[in-house]
Each structure stands twice: as structure tokens, then as C-alpha cells.
Amino acid sequence: MNRLKIKSLLTVSYSLSILIFLSCNPEKMKHEVTSPSGDLKISFLLNEIGTPGYSVAFKNNMILDTSLMGFEFVDQEPMNKNFRITGTEHDSSDDTWEMPWGEQRYVRNHFNRLKIYLEETTGMKRRMNIEFRVYDDGMGFRYEFPEQELLKAVNIKEENTQFKLTGDHLCWWQPGDWDIYEHLYNTTKFSEIDAISKRNHTSLAQTYIPENAVNTPITMKTSEGVYLSFHEANLTDYAGMTLKADTENLIMQSCLVGSERTEYKVLRTVPFETPWRTVQISEWAGGLIESRLIVNLNEPNKLGDINWFKPMKYVGIWWEMHLGKSTWAYEGGKHGATTEHAKELIDFAAANNIEGLLVEGWNTGWERWVGFEDREGVFDFVTPYPDYDLEKVVVYAKEKGVKMIMHHETSAAVRTYEKQLDTAYSLMKSLGIHAVKTGYVGKIIPKGEYHHGQWMINHYRKVLETAAKYEIAVDAHEPIKPTGIRRTYPNAISREGLRGQEFNAWSVDGGNPPEHLSIVAFTRMLAGPIDYTPGIFNIKLNPWKTDNQVNTTLAQQLALYVVIYSPIQMVADLIENYKNQPAFQFIRDVGVDWEQSIVLNGEPGDFVTIARQERETGNWFVGSITDENERTLNITLEFLEPGTGYEATICKDGKDAHWDKNPTSLEIEKMEVGNSSSLELKLAAGGGTAISIMKIKN
Ligand code: NOJ
Ligand code: CA
């Protein structure tokens, strides 16, 4: 069968898998697969010594040059040369699946696939397959170790996957830390990436940066204006991948997160598949945010209907601890989590269209949680402090229609948490609590493990799976980065995994700069939902933290509810700061679960505007944010339903607003709009605009 024939066959028998075993010299042939639109083309080739490699073209221009692939092991020869191709497989798939909650309801999963079957020509003749899936918004590939006589298990010392860039692109990157993602982003040319200089970080409870590597997602812009973002999808029973930057040769190469306890970085029995290595590609920056490549490369929902979890806004006994107004620990006379205080917050939530309440510091153990070597056996996830009546609070919340969010800070004493998972979740189940925020502050115990290594990845998964059995959704802090697992386990609702709002309360380096979230939207947010905890109205944090502040305007704090996606959004400030604040109406109104999301404009590190339509009501919300520069953005509301009248409430920076000099200057304007309306948004330095667009009821 010749290749032309295969192509024509493909067009008729859509989705039909065709396996062809090529006979004559297949290894010399280039094997290609294009995206459904034809714009993206992957070519696979074995080089002269039989090393697998691929290249990627976008609209006929090379976007990734020949990039090699392979593995090194602890106890056997590397698998990186002397391969021959024993077969290839081409097919296509096009279906649509529904998100139980998300940025949009329906996701189209449309790709062409090429699978290459490889076998070594020498030695043990080990076999390995490589599968490519090419979408209109990017591509992914993964390695498969198929069942074979002579290879029963592998100790992977390193994966050698390359991404060879075609230019010295502008990059938005953070260091490839094995323990934390709470770094600021850097904006430099690829050749200027210097992760090592970021090693001595003052505000991190754990950090380990062994190489000049970056964390993923890393986002880039070529000189031709093409945007690329590199990440991974379906990180399961494997180590997290950082990318080593060979700044001279413009090559990124996988550098897996390891462990001090083992020589290998990944231990697996054969057969198995690696996570997908992904590249999102778009001619405009907003295309990266609209891309659903990462979730599409994950397995379908394994949990079925999870109607016990509904997206929500929540308040918390939380920010006050970060401000030093109260404490997690009972001792000292400033304990935050008291029955009375929880009830006060429940009343506030119930009165303001906020569905949830998080209470931190409710359980014993906070006297020895951070800065102690020996943290095992300290935290207990069932025993409240004496001034907190857990049952009473739960009953009161239920009466008021407010849902509790449990808190489990593990202080990275992971075995202690694992031992108590069933007891802790049974208690939650008996109380009717369906969400938990977990935390992993500090160096992992057992010593030698890192937050992003295989051992911890398996722990995070065990937590998700166990929680699902008890109908519990998980919001992990100090987590493993998201890789789209929420599609398979929709109880993985949100996570931290970035420098969150809390850094504005106490970091000694000035907090998150005004440009932070306009970079986050094009990097970390491409991976999945973020528990950023927006909504701080007392920007200067007086009187609690006179040396710290939030580095945005108040209007930007509102816009973040739309810009930063999460199915749970915290209303983070002390509730007294919302009293008599007209702008608070936006938070009461804003949705948390979306029918669709549209990026209206954006540029990494500069600005971004996103419009999202609420599932339940069909109302729209728009959020726009800028960096330290003021700017004017024009948007059209053509996404609104034609023939329908809407009332827009626009919360915008006041004329004299400025993130530092006048952050709370804000104006609210109301007007009628329709789908032919356009708006001019004037954002102050570090500012934003938040708009609710509600259908006018006749
Ligand atoms: C770090 C988390 O990010 C923060 O939200 C939490 O309050 C503390 N750990 C305590 O668990
Ligand atoms: Ca900028």
C-alpha cells in the first residue's frame, strides 16, 4: 500500500485504525502526520545511528528542528540508538466530551495520530513505541514500553527528550525547582535563561534547583510572532519533567525530578506509557489560553457523575493568619479558628451569595508545623482545638446553606497523612463535607524525596483516588503541577502551584509584582485551575502589615475572578474590608462555572482580557488586567446573544488610580449593551476592569 493510498483511505474511513508494516527500508523513510487543518506537521526520522528524532513545522516553517529522543537506565544500556522501525500506524479521531465543571462545557478532541513501532537491531532487541497526536492547537507525544520477553522493568536514570528551538525566542520562565513552583517568572531570551542564579530564595519553605533547567509550562514567542508553550499531560506514576536549557545550542532537554533515596528517577514495570510531552502552538497569545490540548491528552472521566461537588466562591479563616492578625496555633491567645468566628463567616457567606467556608487552624498540631525537623505524627486530622466545635460549626453551616471546606496541612509529613487518610475522610463523610484543601509546606519526609518526584506524584494520586471514594474534592497547595488529570479525576478541582496571593502578605522581596498575573495567565494557567485567592480590598494591608502590600489596583483584584480560572474562587480578604464597598457587588454576582470562555486580547507579561459565560444563567463576565503599564484596550461584545438586551456593570480604575499611589480609586458605571456594543477599557498601571453583563429580564 503506498502512502497516497493510505491518505485517501483515511479520509473515507475516519477514525479507522490502519496498521501497516512497512517492508522496504522503512527506517530511511520520513514518517509524517499533520494536524486536522494541515497547518502543523510532525516528521519522525531515525538518524544514521538509529536514534529516534522528530521535527515540527507550522505553516511550512520549521518550528522545532530535529530533536532526539531516548532513555538512560541505572542497570542497563541506554535506549537511544540502533533502532529500526518495525511498523507504523496512522489514524484520526474526532469527538466531543463534556466537562463536569470548567472553562467551557463542551470540548472537541480532534487529532491525527501516528504511532511508530521501534526495535533495537542489536543486544537485547528491546522494543519501544512512540505515539504522536497532532491537533490544530499543538501536539503531544509519548513513549510506550510494550510487553516483551527481555524487558520486565526499567529503572530510568534520565529521559532524553529534546526540543530543539529554531531561534533565540523570548521566554517566560521560572527555575526548574524540584520542590516548589512559587517563583517569580523571568522574561528573557532563551540564551539568557539562568535558573541557578535563582537558588537563594528568601521566602520559600523548600526549594531545590540542581540544574539550569526550567519548570513547565514554559512559554515562548518567536521573532515571527508564533507563541509556543511546553508542558506535559497525564503525569501518572512517573517523575515530573523539568527542561534543561542548553543556552548555546538552543535545545531544551528533559531533566526528570529525582530522589536522594534511589539512583533511578522513575521505576516502572513493563508495559507502561510515559506522560505526554506537549507543545501548544498559536499565532496569537490568547490561542494558548483557549487551547484544551492538556485535558484532551488525558483519559476520560473515571469517577462518573460527581454532582456532590459544585463550583463555588468561598470565604475563609485564612488571610488573617497570613497578616498576623490571628494564628493557626491555639497557644498564644490569638487563635483564629473559633466556633464563634466560623459562625460569623457563615453568616457573611450566606448573606453574600458565597457558597463555601474554609477554616484553617482548626485541628491540633500547629504548634510544631513549620521549621521543625521532626514533623511526623504531629498533625492529626480529626481532633479540633478546644475552642472549635467542629460539629456545631457544620450544623450551623448546613442551616445557612453554606458548604464547609476542610483543611489538612500535612507539613510535608506525607506518611503521617497517608496513615490517616481513611479516618480523616470518614470523618468528613460523616459530616457531609465534600471538599478539602491540602497543604505540603516544608521538605518532604521521608527525607530525600522531592515534591515533584515519582514518589510524591503517586502520593498526590493516592489522595485523589481515596478522596473520590469518600466523595471528596481536593484543592492541593504545594502540589504537583496540573497536567490535565482533572479530566480523569474531576475531584481534582484546583490547586496552588504558583506564587499565590499569600506572598503579598509576607514575602520579604516586595510581593508579586504588577506583571505577575499577566504572565501567569500565559504560563501556569495553561496547565490547569489555580487557587490564587483574589479579592483583597485592603490593598495596603494596614494596620497588619505596613511593610507589605498587594501590587495591583482594587479593580484588578475584581478582574482576577474572571481572568484566573478555578472552579473554587476565594473571597480572600477579612470580611470587615467588604463592608460598605459598592465594588463588592461584583464578587457577589460573578460566576464560577462556565459555558464558554473567550480570550479577547492579550500578550504575556503585558495584559489579557477574558470573557466567560456563566453556565447556569447565560450571563457574561469580563476581566481585563494589565502589568505596571497603564493602557487602553478596545473590546467588542459580539459574543453576546444577538437580539438580547444586557445591563453591563463596569468596575474600572479611577482616573487617578495606580497600583502603588492610589490602588483603591475605582469607578462603577452601568449601561445597556448588546452584541454590537464596543467598550474602551482604560486600565491604570497595575490595574484592571471587571464587568458583569446580565441579561435584562423583561
Ligand atoms: C501554605 C498554603 O499555600 C496556605 O494557603 C496555607 O494557609 C498555609 N500553607 C498553611 O497550611
Ligand atoms: Ca510587561
Side-chain angles (χ1 to χ4, degrees):
M1 215 186 314
N2 65 32
R3 291 182 39 90
L4 257 180
K5 180 94 175 288
I6 299 164
K7 267 199 181 151
S8 56
L9 235 177
L10 254 175
T11 44
V12 256
S13 54
Y14 213 51
S15 256
L16 182 81
S17 168
I18 305 159
L19 188 62
I20 334 126
F21 286 90
L22 294 148
S23 47
C24 59
N25 228 355
E27 46 272 39
K28 290 283 163 317
M29 284 176 64
K30 226 186 191 182
H31 296 273
E32 292 177 349
V33 54
T34 57
S35 59
S37 71
D39 283 349
L40 204 59
K41 185 168 83 186
I42 315 279
S43 309
F44 178 86
L45 197 69
L46 289 177
N47 69 9
E48 56 292 346
I49 59 163
T51 303
Y54 70 98
S55 61
V56 182
F58 181 59
K59 295 204 166 165
N60 296 321
N61 290 319
M62 183 87 87
I63 196 103
L64 287 177
D65 208 338
T66 304
S67 305
L68 303 178
M69 308 158 119
F71 287 89
E72 290 164 49
F73 305 102
V74 170
D75 54 2
Q76 51 180 302
E77 289 297 305
M79 268 170 106
N80 56 11
K81 56 178 191 281
N82 301 331
F83 276 112
R84 70 185 186 95
I85 298 175
T86 61
T88 64
E89 203 177 294
H90 280 267
D91 62 21
S92 300
S93 179
D94 186 5
D95 56 41
T96 296
W97 55 280
E98 190 174 346
M99 292 180 131
W101 45 263
E103 300 94 323
Q104 64 199 62
R105 192 189 294 271
Y106 298 108
V107 178
R108 185 171 179 192
N109 189 8
H110 187 194
F111 61 87
N112 292 331
R113 195 175 74 104
L114 166 66
K115 190 163 170 182
I116 308 279
Y117 291 78
L118 298 171
E119 187 181 277
E120 289 174 322
T121 53
T122 55
M124 282 158 66
K125 301 205 165 156
R126 292 168 299 184
R127 286 187 287 124
M128 175 175 86
N129 309 323
I130 304 174
E131 179 178 352
F132 294 90
R133 289 191 187 178
V134 195
Y135 292 75
D136 288 339
D137 55 344
M139 64 99 165
F141 61 86
R142 68 175 172 188
Y143 305 91
E144 179 189 272
F145 287 77
E147 199 166 339
Q148 50 198 296
E149 241 342 276
L150 296 177
L151 192 64
K152 295 296 176 204
V154 290
N155 297 307
I156 299 174
K157 202 160 123 194
E158 196 56 271
E159 178 186 319
N160 298 324
T161 298
Q162 291 184 346
F163 301 93
K164 188 166 167 44
L165 308 177
T166 50
D168 192 8
H169 308 323
L170 183 63
C171 298
W172 292 272
W173 63 274
Q174 64 159 256
D177 199 312
W178 288 17
D179 244 349
I180 201 82
Y181 307 110
E182 294 177 8
H183 289 275
L184 287 175
Y185 283 92
N186 303 276
T187 308
T188 71
K189 289 273 173 86
F190 183 81
S191 60
E192 291 158 2
I193 290 177
D194 180 13
I196 300 299
S197 69
K198 309 287 169 191
R199 262 186 200 155
N200 296 322
H201 197 293
T202 38
S203 294
L204 295 173
Q206 70 267 7
T207 171
Y208 182 56
I209 307 168
E211 302 274 358
N212 187 28
V214 296
N215 173 36
T216 71
I218 171 176
T219 298
M220 305 182 184
K221 183 182 185 178
T222 70
S223 52
E224 291 77 36
V226 177
Y227 296 84
L228 302 169
S229 187
F230 300 81
H231 187 45
E232 57 182 313
N234 193 358
L235 173 50
T236 298
D237 198 1
Y238 205 80
M241 177 180 72
T242 68
L243 292 170
K244 222 192 301 192
D246 174 349
T247 49
E248 229 164 84
N249 299 302
L250 307 183
I251 297 175
M252 294 196 292
Q253 179 154 327
S254 54
C255 175
L256 300 177
V257 173
S259 153
E260 311 297 334
R261 298 200 302 163
T262 56
E263 256 184 88
Y264 58 79
K265 291 180 167 179
V266 173
L267 172 65
R268 287 299 293 268
T269 52
V270 175
F272 75 95
E273 286 147 351
T274 68
W276 295 95
R277 278 59 189 97
T278 62
V279 191
Q280 282 156 284
I281 303 173
S282 176
E283 273 173 310
W284 75 292
L288 296 178
I289 298 176
E290 289 182 349
S291 159
R292 298 287 165 257
L293 181 82
I294 303 299
V295 270
N296 270 333
L297 285 169
N298 275 266
E299 304 293 321
N301 184 346
K302 272 191 186 167
L303 304 182
D305 191 358
I306 60 150
N307 55 17
W308 39 265
F309 168 73
K310 293 263 179 298
M312 61 178 155
K313 288 168 270 188
Y314 69 103
V315 285
I317 301 185
W318 178 75
W319 187 238
E320 57 191 81
M321 283 85 118
H322 290 273
L323 293 178
K325 182 187 179 196
S326 72
T327 57
W328 285 278
Y330 179 65
E331 308 292 329
K334 288 204 298 180
H335 186 216
T338 66
T339 309
E340 281 319 301
H341 190 29
K343 284 165 89 175
E344 186 192 357
L345 282 156
I346 289 167
D347 290 340
F348 178 83
N352 289 292
N353 193 29
I354 294 168
E355 301 85 346
L357 169 65
L358 163 77
V359 177
E360 295 200 0
W362 67 278
N363 60 324
T364 59
W366 289 91
E367 285 71 21
R368 286 183 61 79
W369 79 288
V370 76
F372 293 87
E373 267 297 295
D374 178 18
R375 285 164 276 126
E376 287 204 295
V378 172
F379 268 121
D380 162 318
F381 305 97
V382 293
T383 314
Y385 280 128
D387 55 350
Y388 187 72
D389 188 330
L390 179 60
E391 273 86 29
K392 216 177 191 172
V393 172
V394 167
V395 168
Y396 191 75
K398 220 167 263 171
E399 270 170 33
K400 299 273 171 162
V402 171
K403 297 182 182 107
M404 299 297 299
I405 300 175
M406 183 44 100
H407 186 235
H408 292 162
E409 172 57 62
T410 67
S411 67
V414 177
R415 293 183 291 218
T416 299
Y417 190 41
E418 285 200 1
K419 271 190 213 144
Q420 295 184 56
L421 280 183
D422 282 295
T423 347
Y425 295 165
S426 297
L427 172 68
M428 286 177 61
K429 182 134 206 223
S430 72
L431 296 168
I433 302 179
H434 291 287
V436 63
K437 170 178 168 181
T438 56
Y440 295 86
V441 171
K443 287 247 155 232
I444 300 289
I445 306 177
K447 219 175 172 171
E449 295 298 347
Y450 295 98
H451 282 70
H452 310 155
Q454 186 187 17
W455 192 84
M456 275 306 285
I457 277 144
N458 288 338
H459 165 77
Y460 291 118
R461 184 61 57 86
K462 185 177 180 173
V463 167
L464 271 186
E465 285 177 345
T466 314
K469 281 194 218 142
Y470 292 88
E471 301 192 336
I472 290 168
V474 181
D475 164 26
H477 279 228
E478 300 77 49
I480 183 63
K481 62 191 170 185
T483 58
I485 300 296
R486 64 176 159 141
R487 179 177 178 194
T488 317
Y489 296 94
N491 68 324
I493 48 173
S494 195
R495 70 190 83 198
E496 192 184 41
L498 87 166
R499 246 173 95 115
Q501 182 91 275
E502 62 191 33
F503 275 76
N504 292 326
W506 43 250
S507 81
V508 295
D509 58 5
N512 300 335
E515 68 164 11
H516 184 54
L517 290 153
S518 60
I519 303 180
V520 163
F522 294 95
T523 51
R524 161 67 179 81
M525 198 169 86
L526 306 184
I530 301 176
D531 191 24
Y532 185 74
T533 69
I536 300 305
F537 276 35
N538 178 15
I539 302 279
K540 292 286 180 181
L541 313 180
N542 290 332
W544 309 107
K545 289 279 183 161
T546 44
D547 293 338
N548 297 76
Q549 72 168 71
V550 174
N551 301 314
T552 73
T553 66
L554 172 55
Q556 177 168 130
Q557 287 295 305
L558 300 178
L560 294 178
Y561 286 90
V562 188
V563 170
I564 300 298
Y565 173 66
S566 172
I568 55 164
Q569 286 284 25
M570 190 169 206
V571 180
D573 210 343
L574 310 178
I575 57 173
E576 54 262 34
N577 293 329
Y578 297 130
K579 295 237 163 85
N580 305 320
Q581 289 281 357
F584 187 61
Q585 188 59 39
F586 180 80
I587 297 185
R588 287 191 192 102
D589 291 338
V590 69
V592 273
D593 197 22
W594 310 107
E595 185 68 33
Q596 46 178 323
S597 292
I598 303 170
V599 183
L600 302 181
N601 53 45
E603 183 63 26
D606 293 346
F607 64 96
V608 60
T609 308
I610 302 183
R612 303 192 195 268
Q613 184 186 30
E614 192 180 20
R615 279 196 193 182
E616 218 176 298
T617 60
N619 292 330
W620 285 85
F621 296 87
V622 176
S624 184
I625 64 171
T626 179
D627 61 0
E628 70 285 359
N629 301 305
E630 60 178 37
R631 62 185 89 229
T632 302
L633 300 169
N634 291 297
I635 61 167
T636 57
L637 306 185
E638 56 205 2
F639 48 82
L640 297 178
E641 222 170 78
T644 306
Y646 295 83
E647 184 181 59
T649 307
I650 305 171
C651 300
K652 55 184 178 186
D653 293 316
K655 291 203 172 56
D656 50 353
H658 181 276
W659 64 272
D660 187 28
K661 289 183 221 127
N662 199 0
T664 55
S665 165
L666 181 138
E667 284 168 24
I668 300 175
E669 190 186 350
K670 280 187 195 281
M671 61 171 83
E672 267 191 43
V673 296
N675 93 319
S676 57
S677 307
S678 54
L679 297 173
E680 185 180 73
L681 313 183
K682 287 203 156 122
L683 313 186
T689 302
I691 314 172
S692 57
I693 307 175
M694 323 277 240
K695 280 185 191 158
I696 296 172
K697 292 187 191 108
N698 295 315

